[in-house]
Amino acid sequence: MQEYVGELVLDTRRNNSELSPTAELRSGAFGPALQGAYQLLYQVDGGRVAVDLQMQRVPDSSRFNLIGQVVGSQGPERQVELVPIKGIIIEGDAAMKSTADETFTFRYPDLQPGSYGLSIYSGLEDIRIMPLNL
């Protein structure tokens, strides 16, 4: 199994002039742009694989809904794991697992703000996004 670390190429919360000029927004998973929503786009293996993460603040809350999609990974398995990070310690017992659908889309509703480690397994690849700060 090949291991990769995702490289952030787009963060709609900040000025992205230092990030890739070729980064493009993918279609909105939440429909029209909503207040408190933002997108993070990562590339893996020189752009062969893209990990698109879209967060939306839960109304009247500090929590977030996360929807993600992996594009370009061809492995037979589609599993995703989100783990809270406390300082430099990853809380393994608190791992939240998700199985991605046929389009390699996954969802995590009602997440508390904080830092997370995101692991994406396709059977052929292990992709890490760390830290993911909500």
Side-chain angles (χ1 to χ4, degrees), residues 5 15 17 24 26 30-31 45 64 67 73 77 95 98-99 106 110 113 117-118 120 126 129-130:
V5 175
N15 177 348
S17 60
E24 295 180 20
R26 296 177 46 77
F30 302 118
D45 193 23
F64 289 88
I67 185 168
S73 183
E77 298 175 31
S98 176
T99 302
F106 54 92
D110 205 31
L118 179 65
I120 301 164
D126 180 359
I129 306 290
M130 290 177 66

Side-chain angles (χ1 to χ4, degrees), residues 14-82:
R14 64 180 189 188
N15 177 348
N16 291 296
S17 60
E18 73 278 10
L19 299 179
S20 171
T22 60
E24 295 180 20
L25 287 174
R26 296 177 46 77
S27 60
F30 302 118
L34 299 171
Q35 186 173 2
Y38 63 94
Q39 180 176 8
L40 302 174
L41 184 62
Y42 294 83
Q43 70 177 9
V44 178
D45 193 23
R48 178 183 59 81
V49 176
V51 179
D52 178 23
L53 303 175
Q54 297 182 20
M55 275 64 71
Q56 177 186 1
R57 190 173 297 275
V58 174
D60 300 321
S61 172
S62 64
R63 294 178 174 259
F64 289 88
N65 292 324
L66 180 149
I67 185 168
Q69 185 178 32
V70 180
V71 178
S73 183
Q74 302 299 319
E77 298 175 31
R78 294 186 167 137
Q79 297 180 343
V80 182
E81 185 174 270
L82 190 65

Side-chain angles (χ1 to χ4, degrees), residues 81-94:
E81 185 174 270
L82 190 65
V83 181
I85 300 172
K86 304 289 186 191
I88 59 170
I89 299 171
I90 297 177
E91 299 288 331
D93 293 339

